[in-house]
Amino acid sequence: MQGLSHDMEAISEHIKKPLISKKYVLVICGPTGVGKSRVAAILARQWKTDIISADSMQVYRGMDIGTDKQHSPDFKLYMTDLFTPDHHVTAVQFKKTCRKIIEDEFFAKGKIAVLAGGSGLYIRAVMDKLKFAPPRDSQLREQLRQKIKHHGLEKYYQLLEEIDRPYSQKISSNDARRIIRGLEVYYLSGKPFSSFQDNWNERQSIYNSVFIGLNQDRQLLYKNIDNRVDQMFERGLVSEVKALLDQGYDSSYPLKQAVGYKEVVSYVKGQIDLNKCRELVKRNTRRLAKKQLTWFRKDPRINWIRVDNYDNICSLQDEIIRVIEKRLND
């Protein structure tokens, strides 16, 4: 138990048994750049277990530098390198794959499940009892677009009011995108879109769980983000993106959406220079971190720890063990 004080080492061993026997999932979450992977690695080594990545982009092969994948001979990292970038992984697919891993590779083998990442939607998909609306159907959506083009948006907003008044009241009568989505969900499932949103404000984990949220001073976090982006460029982010484009993934969802990739694609295509590209990646990563914090702060289950309140990683590790012990004793 390198790094732990003698007392905390004893507590760590003491709580390991109930974490395994009661099938707990330990969730390490927070904004990008705060050090989630490092903390998860320490816990994995401490308890001789593995890590499940809760990152929506680490599931794609070939996207390594820009997603900051952390591989180690000390533990296995699950939910990475599962698909090529031309496959759009939905939250539902992520949930099904991840839950099977938790059951088969952790619970069945008597290991503590450590789920670490910053994708709040995907963490909730895995951990909570949620209803997901059907995925988008491109053919049906195009049919709806053509009907709206010929008959006008007002007619289809009125139709939406008839079949799903609660959802229609939340959106503008001029919002074609959301009107199409509301109608699409109803035609695919036979249920109003609002019925899938009823339980999203509830926070009911399907597993026994402890949520640890990591945060730090905003300016320090932004400095860490800027430094990490610089390191990604030095490690070959541009070459990584060029390789993906050469493989024909230029129109794939991850390359068009992922921070760090979409900006480099613009650079490679000659739309911006390298300095502008680098600054955009930093800016957009900072914005992503802010969005992640906003998402996670809505979850009352999260036990927040300020990483900059501790002089060293050992003290931080001690505090995490204390939080887990308290949760087990509640």
Side-chain angles (χ1 to χ4, degrees):
M1 306 290 176
Q2 186 177 5
L4 284 174
S5 65
H6 178 74
D7 290 343
M8 295 310 300
E9 182 177 334
I11 292 173
S12 176
E13 282 301 295
H14 175 71
I15 66 176
K16 183 178 178 180
K17 185 175 180 180
L19 285 174
I20 293 173
S21 64
K22 295 181 181 179
K23 297 182 177 180
Y24 268 80
V25 177
L26 177 59
V27 179
I28 308 295
C29 60
T32 186
V34 79
K36 299 181 297 295
S37 296
R38 184 185 183 195
V39 167
I42 289 170
L43 294 173
R45 294 186 183 101
Q46 180 178 314
W47 285 323
K48 295 181 174 58
T49 188
D50 297 311
I51 300 171
I52 308 163
S53 167
D55 186 298
S56 61
M57 294 299 162
Q58 288 192 357
V59 296
Y60 298 109
R61 291 192 288 272
M63 296 178 67
D64 303 325
I65 298 172
T67 62
D68 200 33
K69 287 177 189 170
Q70 303 289 326
H71 294 288
S72 169
D74 298 332
F75 53 81
K76 183 171 181 178
L77 186 62
Y78 289 91
M79 292 304 292
T80 63
D81 302 325
L82 299 181
F83 306 98
T84 55
D86 55 352
H87 179 88
H88 182 193
V89 180
T90 65
V92 173
Q93 184 175 14
F94 190 97
K95 173 192 72 173
K96 291 178 179 178
T97 306
C98 191
R99 285 183 178 179
K100 189 174 191 309
I101 288 171
I102 290 173
E103 298 287 341
D104 295 349
E105 300 299 328
F106 290 86
F107 292 167
K109 295 181 179 180
K111 296 164 69 175
I112 299 170
V114 179
L115 179 68
S119 296
L121 172 61
Y122 283 43
I123 289 174
R124 286 210 66 192
V126 173
M127 296 299 297
D128 292 352
K129 187 177 181 180
L130 298 173
K131 293 186 292 184
F132 284 89
R136 287 169 170 76
D137 183 304
S138 57
Q139 184 175 357
L140 175 57
R141 292 172 72 82
E142 182 57 31
Q143 290 174 359
L144 288 168
R145 289 191 193 97
Q146 292 301 319
K147 288 181 179 180
I148 288 171
K149 184 178 179 181
H150 286 93
H151 301 289
L153 186 59
E154 182 180 358
K155 176 180 179 179
Y156 288 90
Y157 179 73
Q158 290 174 350
L159 177 58
L160 182 63
E161 283 185 307
E162 293 175 9
I163 63 178
D164 192 354
R165 187 165 183 79
Y167 179 65
S168 70
Q169 291 179 330
K170 292 181 180 179
I171 67 174
S172 167
S173 60
N174 296 319
D175 193 335
R177 182 175 66 84
R178 287 185 170 86
I179 291 170
I180 288 173
R181 179 57 177 158
L183 294 171
E184 174 190 37
V185 169
Y186 181 78
Y187 291 143
L188 290 173
S189 67
K191 300 176 182 178
F193 193 19
S194 57
S195 70
F196 293 95
Q197 301 173 324
D198 290 343
N199 64 341
W200 273 81
N201 290 328
E202 300 175 8
R203 308 281 176 170
Q204 290 186 321
S205 302
I206 66 166
Y207 302 115
N208 289 326
S209 58
V210 182
F211 284 72
I212 303 291
L214 303 181
N215 197 9
Q216 64 184 157
D217 173 77
R218 184 67 59 88
Q219 294 307 311
L220 181 57
L221 175 64
Y222 287 174
K223 182 179 179 181
N224 291 342
I225 287 172
D226 290 350
N227 289 338
R228 190 169 78 167
V229 169
D230 286 335
Q231 292 170 9
M232 286 178 176
F233 276 90
E234 291 168 6
R235 288 165 53 200
L237 178 60
V238 173
S239 296
E240 179 172 273
V241 173
K242 285 181 178 178
L244 291 168
L245 293 176
D246 288 344
Q247 295 173 61
Y249 297 128
D250 55 308
S251 61
S252 66
Y253 172 82
L255 263 69
K256 291 195 295 184
Q257 295 295 323
V259 174
Y261 287 89
K262 59 184 180 181
E263 299 87 355
V264 176
V265 168
S266 294
Y267 162 67
V268 172
K269 291 185 175 181
Q271 297 167 353
I272 55 175
D273 63 31
L274 186 58
N275 287 334
K276 179 66 174 178
C277 173
R278 190 186 296 247
E279 289 307 310
L280 282 176
V281 175
K282 291 178 180 179
R283 185 200 70 181
N284 292 339
T285 306
R286 293 192 295 266
R287 288 179 175 177
L288 172 62
K290 187 176 180 180
K291 289 179 181 178
Q292 289 170 320
L293 278 169
T294 299
W295 175 286
F296 288 125
R297 280 173 175 157
K298 296 176 182 178
D299 196 330
R301 296 170 297 183
I302 296 177
N303 302 275
W304 287 101
I305 297 176
R306 283 282 297 258
V307 298
D308 48 338
N309 284 346
Y310 301 90
D311 295 332
N312 54 65
I313 193 67
C314 299
S315 298
L316 174 60
Q317 186 180 1
D318 283 356
E319 179 60 20
I320 292 171
I321 298 300
R322 288 190 190 96
V323 170
I324 296 171
E325 182 194 27
K326 183 178 183 300
R327 171 67 179 83
L328 290 175
N329 291 331
D330 284 345

